[in-house]
Amino acid sequence: MKIFKQGILLLLFLLLFWVLLTSIDSQELIAGGVIVILLTLVFSRKAAVFGDFQITFKSLIYSIAYIFVFLAALVRSNLDVAFRVLSPKLPINPGIVKVKTSLNSKTGRLVLANSITLTPGTLTVETKGDHFYIHWIDVSTQDVDLASQEIVSKFEKYLEVMFG
Amino acid sequence: MADILYNTSAVLALIAIILAAWRLLKGPNVADRVVALDVMTIISISLIVYVASIAQRVIYLDVAMVYALISFIGVVAIARYLERGL
Amino acid sequence: MAVFGGIITFVGSIFLLLGALGIVRMPDVYNRMQAGTKATTLGILLFLAGIAIGHIECMCIFRILILILFIIFTNPISSHALARAAHHIGIPLTDKSVTDALAEDESEKEEAIS
Amino acid sequence: MINGIIIVLGIIMIASAFMAIYMRSLLSSIIAAGVISLLASIIYLLLAAPDVAMTEAAIGSGLTTVVFLYAFNKVKGRGEDNHG
Amino acid sequence: MVNPLYLFIIALGTGFLLSLIDKLYRSVSLILFYATLTAMLGIAGQWLVEIMRGMEAVVIYTAGFQAPYSINLRLGMEEAVFVFLANLVGLLSAIYLFNKFRHSKVNAMVLFLMMILGINGLIMTRDMFNLFVFMEITSIATYALIGINRNTESLSAGFKYIIAGGIASSFFLIGTIYLYRLTGTLNIDSMIASKELIAGNAGFIALFLALSAIVIELKPFPANGWALDVYQAVDSGVVAVIATASSAAMFFVIYKLMPLLNITMLDLLAGIGGITFVFSNLVGLKQKNAKRLLGYSSIAQMGLVLTALSLVMKGSCGIPPKNLLIIVVGGLFLNHFLAKAGLFWLAGLFKEQDTDKWSVIRRNPLLLFIFGSFIFALVGLPPFPGFWAKWELILYLAKSGQHFWIFTILLGSFLEAIYLIRWLISVVKDTVEQEVVLSFQKILPPVLFMIGLYNAGFLMIINYYSFNPLFFAPLMVAAFFFGIDWLPTKFKGIFTIAVIGAFAYHVVPQLDGIYQIFAVLFLGGGLIQLIATLQASGKRTGFYPFVIMMFLSLGILLKSETTLQFFYAWELMTVSSFLLILRGGKARNHSLLYILFSLAGAYFILTGFAYAFAAAGDINILSITNITAYSSVIYTFFLVGFLIKTGALGLHIWLPGSYAESEDDVSPLISSILSKAGIFGMMLVAGIFGKSLFGKIEISAALGWLGAITALIGTLMAIFQEDIKKLLAYSSMGQLGYMVLSVAMLSHLGWISALYMSFNHLFFKALLFIAIAGVISRTGTRNMCEMGGLIKRMPYSFISVLIAIIALSGVPPLSGFGSKWLLYTAGIERGWYLQTAVAFFASTIAFLYCYRLIHTIFLGQPKPKFKEIKEASLWYLIPQYILIMAIMAISMFPNLIIEPLAAAVNNYFSTTIDWNGYTVISSLGYWNGNAVMYVTMGVFALPLIILILTQRRPQLVKQFNIVFAAERPDRPETTHVANNFFAPYQKALGFLAYPYATRFWSAVSEWTQTVASLFRQIYTGNGQTYALHIILYVVVLYFISGGR
Amino acid sequence: MVKRFLILLVLVFFVIMLLPLVSDIQPQTELNPLAKKYVKDGPDELGSANLVTSVIVTYRGLDTLGEVAVLFIATAGVGFMLRRRKGSKTNPQKKRESSEILQTGTALLTPLIFLFGIYIFLHGHLTPGGGFQGGVVIASAILLSMLSFPQSEINHKILNAIESLSGVLYLVIGILGIYLAAGFLDNRILPLGDFGRLFSAGAIPVIYSLIGLKVGSELVGILDSMQRSDS
Amino acid sequence: MTLVSIIGFVLIIVGLWGMLTQNNIIKIIIGFSIIDTGIHLLIVSIGYIKGKTAPIIDSVLLKTDAVNQVVDPIPSALVLTAIVIGLAVTALMLVYAVNLYQRKQSLDINDFEELKW
């Protein structure tokens, strides 16, 4: 069942990718279909990560919401960093802090780490079990929980729904 | 108007490349250079897309995709090399 | 439309420039990475989007979309991998740094082993 | 415009070439050499040769660098490459 | 007919499949590998046969488009030959490497296949860029294969190779792309058609760059350090392919591009080749490592081939006569190809590659034969293709007036001969040995290539020169004698005599004039002397084949109708005599000197023939007589060549050693017969060109002086010898001086005396040498002062020597008197009083050594250790007495011989002597051999009888007992009367006998060695420096070629 | 120092020598006849929209075969020169594990990169790229897995089989050209199809696919031998 | 395009310079790849015609119009081959470097002079 699910998901992803690449054309679809099915067969066992996606309506909503949250964070982070770069004094207060996450699925953790990396002044340096080590350009707290609150939680609640 | 904006953007991107090249030159250590390389390739992708737009060829974008892919793998490879995981 | 795209592109290029400036100005590798990954990711995102909008007739929107997704997905991974490697081989944080939780944990672990 | 891009890229390429030659750390040299190829592939695109650009990016910059890295893995007491 | 594309297809297909199959079954992949190589060879062979039969050259288009639009291949005559050879060497090398392939990864086989594939492509393709691709395929496969031996040397050599190859291919690429830019095509044929488009500056550079890349791949002289390292370090099986097939392919590329080149570039190429040829060989002189030596030789040979091709192309405006191209370029190339591959294969049998550690070869007749054949082929001796090629090339050069090139090519050949032959000698003579690993698959390839070499040589004779079957006799009979070498000596000896007799019976009647005279001299003399060789016991392996080869080649020398035949016979004679001399126990250095001087002489003769051809337009010997232009130059060349053979002063330093150190029964053959070949040649040319002047000096007059002085110095040197054979050798030199003098007189009487002296010398010197051989065989020493009193033990030998020295010294009544009489008469008649006086003086002091011979050896007190020795073997005595009878006969009845001589000479000069019974009457007096004999016998008989009657009981005193009475000297033998016998004379005449010539030649040799070691300093072993050399080379070439 | 000066001197002369190549050659303004022919007749003759591809695969197909051979040789050579480590257990230095994020990312990206590679070589006749580029992309997908999971072994049998069979098939298609079309490597053994669509240009997509597979597996072979050899 | 040709030549010269002056084998190889890049630039620049576009026919470039619109496709084809060959050579050189290093624990080219004269 799990394999079946991840296989289907993989297939859909690949098909979407193919269509984006080639636009819609009968010949392309035939060839693409064959290739995608072959690839799915080859990779279905290894593609456990695709099985992490939750296929529910809620997760779809959350996904869309997440995109906006993330984009907002992204813009904010960039403006922040831009400000820091441009200001002559270079106002930074960097350091590596430890945060905790409750996400279990690998994909979720990946997306979380990526999101952290792309948002204000934070950069995932290392992951160890539940803990992420984050390079923070402006360390406001060194406490694990507080830092988690500040950095992780705003993404986590969406990702928990999306990836379980 | 639009052309001027696009061209100006390209010039800015070029300046950005030069800056990244400066970091590439300065170092001081390998990781810095890799960061510079990473930034350079990303800016280069924008240049490629710009070139595609002025040449009016969609197909050039395939190059940009390969470019992005390669820069990613290149940086990961160097990183893995550095941490002795190659 | 073209002008709108142009403006977006221009903003994107400014972010690119800022990112580049960031890696020149920042004091250590990790901070440079901050500038490099963030500013440039947004920059290129905007740059590409601008061009896609500006040249909507050329059917390049899908490819640019793929490109953007790919960059958003891969760029943090490579940054992370690089940061991890840099930290592992002991490239020091800048003197301004206030803490290094990872280094502490690592050294604790080593002590425990020895 | 095109000429301008080519000149700037060319200068960076030549500078990178010197960097590749004179960097004390081999890894840095390789990175510089990779930059040459990367920029060259933009020039190819400007010269209306996307096939070449793609190949140069994929092979010249990507694969060659990786092959170099694998070779380094075997030739140097590793770790002394980290600085400089 | 199989499409030639299948050469690529099956190679690639097998390559692709091999690793897959290898995962399943090793043996299947091995079989597939060899089957593929065989199939490729089969395809190539099939095409070769078809095209040889007259099929048109085929052009293979790929992708279904005509020439400029797609890549096309061409398979014509040249391509077919090269492809066939490349695949052949590929298959054989693969067989050679069988064990390596079986035990290493399958990748080795794949790489090997790809290398061969690349070579095939290089040869066949007609597209510039495709050429580049195939160049890279070949190079990359080679780079990887170099690692088949994983030692540091081969790895570092391989890296150097990669650097050089990389630079070369970069240049080629730049050149190609600009050629494309200018001509708008990549197809070579189209480029040739639009040649005017690359006439400009840029076109020149583009072409120059592409060309220089290929030239670099051909390893031109200063820019080739990397190649030498590769040759030295890499496994033999691989190197055989690199040195032959790869180089051949590169060479063929140049051939392909030649129509694109202008005269300047052809000159440049010729220069590149020439410099490479000479300097590589020069540097090779100092080389001790066999494979590196072969490397130098390979590079040099390719340089030679390149030069030859360029010169031929240049001289004929791009459309060379086909035969010339085939013989010269094809011959040189084939020669190098087969011999070098074979030698590299041989080199692989040895662990240690020092040239003086290869002696183990001599234990194995097959190996020795292969090795010798290859060496001689490389030196350019008949019947190998290199010989014919060199001949045609020199003739062509002389005809087209490229004098400098003649010198260059012969100089290079000579240098190469030095180290190759030195190596051969060291193999035969040295005793340091090492293990060799022999196995069938390692022996088969060189054997096949050796057979191929012989075949190629004979095919060339058959196809291009209509030789009388007799001219094959020396080689064929020698080969036959090799076949029966396992028989006992006696049988072989008698058989040899019979064969020579039959040959003489066949040949002598066909000749006339001096040809016949010399035929009798050579063959008759040989027949008599060969009896002495029957004394040997055991098998005496490798003796008779050379003997018979020498005599038969002397025979055909006289039969030659063309200059080529003459030269062919001359070279055969040289090489066979060299091998005979080499058999002598201590002949190592002397035989080297001998062959080197002989080769130099042969080159002079060759040059003479070449200029004669240029002047006469024909190689018929008779046509030389019509030459008027350049006669003095031609004459001089001939004279130098022949004078070397006679050992004239200054050119004689090879002579004493070779005469003395050859085996005891070989010495007479060499001294009394072989040296006459020089006299024969001299008479041949003197009769034609004798009157020519060099400036204002009459060449013949100079020759006369040279002869006279040679006679004097030779005699003087003979006096001071302790070694009996050396004494005889110097004496021969002196005698030959007389003959030279009399030949130079260019008068009827002079020539008669020359011929007469030749016979006389034949008789007495053979007699002396054989008698002495008998003595030496019993005493075991050649030091005269260790002998003494042998008259009691060896009376018959004593008589022989006595007769001989009487005949030698020119006192009545024996034939020597007649010869001297004729000489003086002729000299006075010619008006050469001073020369005659010198000769007279020389002949007077000849008494000194004659006396010593008889006194020191036979008279005096016998040494204790020789108390019990017996008379010499009967086989020694028989020829002696035949010779004595001959001396007696011509002494008593001089007209027996003088009449035919005079008749022969009549063809050249009008007669000046008359006959009256047994009396010879010249303008100055007369001589009756009979009368002289009777009178002298009477004069001598009386004292002899008195002596015998009065000296009844001579008292015998122990030799050293006077000394023992007082104190014992450190070295008792120095007190012997015979020791340093002529010390007093040394004070008076020693300055004349001072070895100026030896000093001169050793200075030349040392200087050459110094230059060689100087030049080899450029091979620093540093890959980077080599890269710099390459670029420097290209730049310098460009500016030399007058770019701009 | 003297050496450097000498090198500089040589290079200066080299530059002087090369100068006419820059100064004497005017930029082209028009295609030369050969290129004109390719551009004019190529699309109709071979049906490939990407003219570079038609030149590479058909007009100069032998070059491409050679190119494949070169890469093949390089793979064989690299494998030949490097000794494979015997068994992964004797591995002397432990490699550092890659980070979890990288591993997850790799697992997500690999199929996509694969597909992208296939897209590139399958569309070689329509868009830039082709067998070599596609092969490199595929190889880089596997390289990415090698980077993330350094201990995992590549199945050499499959790799070899792909490499060998695609190479042999390429040759077979080439041979078919001799018999079914006008010459070796002629792509017109299959119908040319609708110009500009995927199934067009005769055998070009097939050839490029085979080249792509071959190049990909060869490059993986090179990387694999370099990774696994003794260090 | 002359400008690119010049860049190509400069890269070739710089690569040569590096190859000839650097003692480290890896540096020499890098010099080589710089030369290669230079040559590739050169080749592509040869085929370029000012103001023309890539020889790929699609919706914006018509088949009938192509002759006047595109650059020379041949140099592109050539350089593709050259790039692949360059990779092959580079890989092999590196393998050599690895092997040489294993023998002597050194990458200095001056340490590999055992064969000379």
Side-chain angles (χ1 to χ4, degrees), chain E residues 330-351:
Chain E
L332 285 175
F333 170 75
L334 201 64
N335 199 46
H336 158 70
F337 190 92
L338 298 175
K340 209 49 65 64
L343 280 173
F344 271 120
W345 282 325
L346 280 188
L349 302 175
F350 298 90
K351 278 226 171 56

Side-chain angles (χ1 to χ4, degrees), chain E residues 152-167:
Chain E
T152 319
E153 285 84 13
S154 64
L155 287 172
S156 70
F159 191 72
K160 292 170 200 170
Y161 187 16
I162 297 185
I163 293 180
I167 293 177

Side-chain angles (χ1 to χ4, degrees), chain E residues 272-599:
Chain E
I272 290 167
I275 289 175
T276 307
F277 185 50
V278 173
F279 283 90
S280 284
N281 281 331
L282 181 65
V283 178
L285 287 180
K286 294 288 279 184
Q287 195 44 252
K288 285 283 173 215
N289 182 298
K291 275 164 81 179
R292 200 173 176 90
L293 188 76
L294 287 175
Y296 281 114
S297 168
S298 293
I299 287 163
Q301 291 280 340
M302 284 321 288
L304 176 61
V305 181
L306 182 62
T307 306
L309 178 65
S310 320
L311 290 177
V312 169
M313 282 290 190
K314 190 182 120 194
S316 45
C317 303
I319 313 142
K322 200 161 187 196
N323 281 358
L324 186 66
L325 199 63
I326 292 177
I327 299 176
V328 172
V329 181
L332 285 175
F333 170 75
L334 201 64
N335 199 46
H336 158 70
F337 190 92
L338 298 175
K340 209 49 65 64
L343 280 173
F344 271 120
W345 282 325
L346 280 188
L349 302 175
F350 298 90
K351 278 226 171 56
E352 291 196 49
Q353 288 298 343
D354 275 3
T355 46
D356 42 12
K357 288 188 181 165
W358 276 39
S359 304
V360 68
I361 279 190
R362 64 188 173 154
R363 296 247 198 86
N364 186 329
L366 177 66
L367 275 186
L368 186 59
F369 186 65
I370 301 172
F371 179 74
S373 299
F374 287 147
I375 293 282
F376 285 135
L378 285 178
V379 174
L381 295 171
F384 301 105
F387 171 76
W388 313 103
K390 208 165 277 176
W391 167 264
E392 291 290 341
L393 178 61
I394 300 293
L395 254 59
Y396 167 79
L397 290 177
K399 184 150 194 202
S400 50
Q402 311 190 53
H403 314 291
F404 173 71
W405 282 113
I406 297 182
F407 169 74
T408 310
I409 287 172
L410 291 180
L411 175 66
S413 308
F414 186 68
L415 292 173
E416 183 166 18
I418 295 177
Y419 60 76
L420 286 175
I421 290 180
R422 192 177 60 197
W423 187 14
L424 175 72
I425 291 171
S426 125
V427 163
V428 179
K429 287 291 168 198
D430 272 349
T431 47
V432 190
E433 290 190 356
Q434 55 166 328
E435 292 263 315
V436 284
V437 195
L438 293 180
S439 54
F440 176 72
Q441 76 267 14
K442 290 207 166 188
I443 291 295
L444 179 72
V447 168
L448 286 181
F449 266 27
M450 181 198 65
I451 296 170
L453 258 180
Y454 279 103
N455 270 336
F458 284 121
L459 277 177
M460 280 186 131
I461 308 182
I462 292 164
N463 281 340
Y464 299 105
Y465 308 100
S466 47
F467 267 28
N468 188 328
L470 207 60
F471 281 82
F472 297 108
L475 290 165
M476 293 300 170
V477 178
F480 174 73
F481 269 83
F482 266 117
I484 60 164
D485 229 8
W486 45 274
L487 290 170
T489 318
K490 296 277 188 300
F491 177 80
K492 285 187 292 189
I494 291 167
F495 196 41
T496 307
I497 293 169
V499 169
I500 293 177
F503 182 76
Y505 181 77
H506 178 68
V507 165
V508 174
Q510 295 174 0
L511 301 166
D512 53 3
I514 61 167
Y515 293 91
Q516 196 172 32
I517 305 282
F518 274 101
V520 171
L521 192 149
F522 292 154
L523 298 173
L527 281 175
I528 299 168
Q529 294 177 30
L530 280 176
I531 299 172
T533 65
L534 294 175
Q535 48 75 32
S537 53
K539 295 242 169 58
R540 210 168 183 190
T541 320
F543 176 72
Y544 285 107
F546 299 135
V547 167
I548 199 146
M549 189 162 138
M550 183 173 95
F551 278 104
L552 296 194
S553 45
L554 278 170
I556 60 170
L557 185 70
L558 302 168
K559 276 284 287 177
S560 357
E561 285 159 359
T562 62
T563 49
L564 173 58
Q565 290 173 345
F566 185 94
F567 188 58
Y568 166 83
W570 186 270
E571 289 278 50
L572 278 185
M573 174 193 84
T574 304
V575 66
S576 49
S577 54
F578 158 67
L579 289 168
L580 277 178
I581 291 172
L582 184 56
R583 294 178 53 86
K586 291 177 185 165
R588 194 186 160 132
N589 296 328
H590 305 295
S591 59
L592 181 63
L593 269 182
Y594 171 72
I595 184 75
L596 292 183
F597 271 86
S598 295
L599 276 177

Side-chain angles (χ1 to χ4, degrees), chain E residues 748-764:
Chain E
H748 190 258
L749 208 54
W751 277 35
I752 291 180
S753 77
L755 289 172
Y756 185 88
M757 274 192 291
S758 297
F759 270 96
N760 195 32
H761 179 243
L762 165 72
F763 294 148
F764 71 70

Side-chain angles (χ1 to χ4, degrees), chain B residues 6 23 32 42 58 62 82, chain C residues 23-24 29 32 44 63 89:
Chain B
Y6 286 127
R23 178 48 71 194
D32 293 300
I42 287 178
V58 192
D62 285 13
L82 282 178
Chain C
I23 64 162
V24 173
V29 121
R32 282 181 198 129
I44 194 152
R63 274 165 213 251
I89 60 173

